[in-house]
Amino acid sequence: MSEATLSNLLEYLYETHTPSNMQWLGEHLIEHANPAIKPYTVEELNARIDQSERNPAEGKVYDFDDVMQEIEEEFALEEKLEMAEVV
């Protein structure tokens, strides 16, 4: 969603909700955006370490160029979507 659309939504919420409604909504949005982080068990951590050691041997690695290309593609897609929203 574009920043302009979000700003319009925010303005609408300001105009149509009481302070207590906005506080309730804000708390629920924050809770939804930041779910509780479940701690890993020792066994889960060891399994993750083992997998991370197997990944290079299995060819499951990304070099810098791969990562940069993926980021650039994502930015291009986001820009294309934002341009489509403007039209």
Side-chain angles (χ1 to χ4, degrees):
M1 190 177 290
S2 73
E3 187 173 338
T5 303
L6 288 170
S7 292
N8 289 336
L9 176 59
L10 188 58
E11 195 62 37
Y12 168 77
L13 292 172
Y14 288 156
E15 293 171 2
T16 59
H17 289 75
T18 65
S20 63
N21 290 153
M22 288 187 282
Q23 183 174 358
W24 180 91
L25 181 60
E27 289 169 356
H28 283 80
L29 288 171
I30 290 168
E31 184 178 315
H32 183 75
N34 299 315
I37 298 173
K38 179 186 136 239
Y40 290 106
T41 65
V42 172
E43 292 79 17
E44 290 171 323
L45 289 171
N46 285 330
R48 290 173 66 96
I49 292 168
D50 292 342
Q51 182 61 51
S52 70
E53 292 171 345
R54 286 192 303 269
N55 284 344
E58 296 172 0
K60 297 178 182 174
V61 293
Y62 295 98
D63 65 14
F64 177 79
D65 293 331
D66 292 336
V67 173
M68 291 307 297
Q69 180 179 350
E70 189 173 325
I71 290 171
E72 288 172 4
E73 289 171 359
E74 183 144 342
F75 282 149
L77 178 61
E78 287 179 12
E79 185 175 314
K80 185 177 180 181
L81 291 173
E82 286 178 4
M83 293 299 289
E85 287 179 5
V86 172
V87 173

